[in-house]
Amino acid sequence: MRARSSLLFVLSMLLVATLGVVLAGEGPEGLKPGTVTLKSAGPIAFAPDGVLLIGDPVAATVYAVATGDTKGDPEKAEYRIEAIDEKVAALLGVSSSDILIADVAANPTSGNVYLSVARGRGPDAQAVIVRTNPQGEFDILPLENVACAKAELPNPPREAGQGRFNQRALAITDLAYVAGSVIVAGLANEEFASTLRVLPYPFAEGTRGAGVEIYHGSHGRFETQSPIRTFTSYVLEGEPHILAAYTCTPLVKIPLKQLAPGAKVRGVTIAELGNRNQPLDMFVYSKDGKDYLLVANSRRGVMKISAVELSGNYNITQRIEGTAGAGFETLEGWTGVVHLDRLNSQCALVLSQNESGRLDLRSVPLP
Amino acid sequence: MSLLSCWCLPLVLLGFQAETARLPLRVTIDESPPHAVRLYGLPAEMLSALQQAEISSRDWQDVYRVEVAGSEQAQSNLPPVAGSYRVEADHIVFVPRFALQRGQPYRVRVWPNRLKGAPAAWPGLWQDVLILPDSDVAPRTRVVAIYPSSDLLPENQLKFYIHFSQPMRRGEAYRHIRLLDNTGHPVPYPFLELPEELWDPSQQRFTLLLDPGRIKRGLKPREEFGPILESGNSYTLLIDAQWKDAAGRPLIEGAAKKFRVTEPDEQQPNLESWKLRLPRAGSREALEVLFDEALDHGLLQRMIWITDATDSPVPGQVEILRKETVWRFVPENPWMAGPYQLCVDARLEDLAGNSLARPFEVDLFERVEVQSKADVRRRLFRVEP
């Protein structure tokens, strides 16, 4: 009897151990085994534990996918991959003119780099996440039978009977994991002003998030609601903020706690990034004990703004003459930058177009 | 990493060492997708041994790989095409992860002497180039419409919709669109160039935004460079024929939209000032809503609808007429006598981005508060016998 009890105990412990393994196999918190079928691949960013967030604009969905890529030393990662567009295209069996790279993100846990890619340029283009490493090896991120979760963004057809006319599409302009939430900025092709969405993370079943309308008053008498192009988070004077750059150039700060579902928020404009220009990517870093914001722009190069300037008591509500607001330095030599991310404590990851039109991926010491 | 390391069978014992150095290799490409590439010519015994071995794709690539054909210099640095391998009775199949493309040359490289047990005389490298012919290259896509269709547009015009007869190619839109002034010179930087490009899901409708930084008053771009469009002047929106469709073919021809510019429009559309042309009960006559200005063509498709006395949507066909100033609705079933509602999403905009909910620019000192909390504005009408 005693022997049998012992055996049962051992068996039950084995069962518990096995279950434990199975549960661990489900991956990071909130993710369940499944298959992600991307209709399109837009902006990407990392959440904790090597979880990749993938914005799918066509499906109006954000996916969280466990990459399992959690080992490695990002501090040792260095990149110098020339004509990466040709290499990614070759992996996918096409020429570089038949792919589009929508975004680049460095995995902060491993130092490996992920690219969000469209193979093909028509409506039937295939969405692929391509991964590379400092050795210049390439592979395709598996999306079948992986630990994953999703959050659908509202993009419904109007009332019944109207759906067939809905040609509305959503361009996700940026997304980021910020302190327990995934924040998504988008732009619809029909309505000019789009809302910022805040999705609690890990995604709960049926998460849709709630929109936040952000106004900013950078133009004298007029204020506006316009689409956010890129954003990042930063603690200003002890309070977490979103720093957001708009399609029509203002850089705006918004306290994170104001981004409550359904809220209408007025952001404070702290700088104008210049005309004929669009901000593309930005991140915050520390160097020699000081914090800086790095912003890549479509026509105005890469700008470096010190945290001292960000914390300055700027609130541009007057008509701007010259360069008002937070001061910035436009970096020499950072030309043709199309995407930017933080690689490690020493380097930025830069995807830039070279003189022959090819895209190079490089790690560049933080300025 | 090498194929040698993962073979379980000592092929040297299989007897094909006696083969001559002449190795009759040849590759074929399947006519149907995914266009598998098949390598023939290896000795049957070797294939049989390979069939029983477990070999990863990465190891296969060391002896047999399919690559996008590039220049000699680039070739050595290009990764092979992603895919899987399978050994059949008389050949090895490479199945690409994504269907290979017509018109794209592929180089097949094989290193026979890396196979375990290969005779020393076998070549170090054998290669061939394959291409699937693409005969369908004649242009067949054209611009079918540009909205707004009016040739009189306000100075603060916000966007254009360009409709194509077939799906288009993403990533090159802004290279093929220009705005010319009345002297034929291009207006510098008139558009908001979004890297994502704003297409509908079928990629047959492109949304072109004029730079809002030069439309909104008080913004730096406008202060420095002035508005894009100026009242009293004429302009041409020009689309060149080199814009490629999804199949990579140029357009049949370019397109142009000429228009004259009037004073800026800062008035919000007002549901109460629209005229209704009512149908008779028992008929399937059209209900017509006549606006007092042109409204946004894209939004008109889905932001107006009719509900019946029970507040259920009435199914029917919508048409947008007379340069986007008329919304016409033909119900599927005859109208009943009684009350109906015209429902309008408050985000419906005019050509300058003023919506029912708010003007494009909100004046801080003469603040226009949103008139109603509801997202949908309603107007009652009755259908009489």
Side-chain angles (χ1 to χ4, degrees), chain B residues 155-229:
Chain B
E155 190 176 281
N156 52 350
Q157 173 68 35
L158 181 60
K159 63 191 164 197
F160 293 93
Y161 296 109
I162 305 167
H163 290 243
F164 297 88
S165 61
Q166 306 261 346
M168 293 293 288
R169 184 180 170 84
R170 207 176 261 279
E172 56 183 61
Y174 301 104
R175 270 184 269 156
H176 301 293
I177 314 174
R178 279 181 302 161
L179 183 68
L180 306 182
D181 64 18
N182 52 359
T183 63
H185 289 97
V187 176
Y189 307 109
F191 309 124
L192 182 67
E193 298 190 11
L194 297 162
E196 294 87 0
E197 297 187 353
L198 298 175
W199 289 96
D200 73 323
S202 71
Q203 283 181 224
Q204 285 180 257
R205 188 191 69 169
F206 180 68
T207 305
L208 178 67
L209 285 167
L210 291 169
D211 184 352
R214 289 176 66 190
I215 296 177
K216 292 182 177 185
R217 286 173 296 177
L219 274 184
K220 205 174 169 194
R222 175 162 167 143
E223 292 303 311
E224 287 186 21
F225 297 96
I228 303 160
L229 305 174

Side-chain angles (χ1 to χ4, degrees), chain B residues 87-101:
Chain B
V87 183
E88 301 280 336
D90 61 343
H91 66 283
I92 305 170
V93 195
F94 168 74
V95 183
R97 169 80 182 265
F98 303 101
L100 299 182
Q101 254 191 349

Side-chain angles (χ1 to χ4, degrees), chain A residues 97 190 224-225 229 278, chain B residues 159 169 193 196 216 358:
Chain A
S97 63
E190 288 184 354
T224 186
Q225 185 200 2
R229 175 76 248 167
Q278 276 198 69
Chain B
K159 63 191 164 197
R169 184 180 170 84
E193 298 190 11
E196 294 87 0
K216 292 182 177 185
R358 63 166 168 265

Side-chain angles (χ1 to χ4, degrees), chain A residues 98-112:
Chain A
D98 282 315
I99 64 157
L100 281 174
I101 298 178
D103 202 7
V104 173
N107 183 345
T109 0
S110 68
N112 291 332

Side-chain angles (χ1 to χ4, degrees), chain B residues 306-308 314 335-336 338-342 379-381 383:
Chain B
I306 305 295
T307 57
D308 61 18
V314 178
W335 297 99
M336 315 275 278
Y340 285 90
Q341 286 188 105
L342 174 68
R379 187 168 150 186
L380 271 169
F381 65 94
V383 173

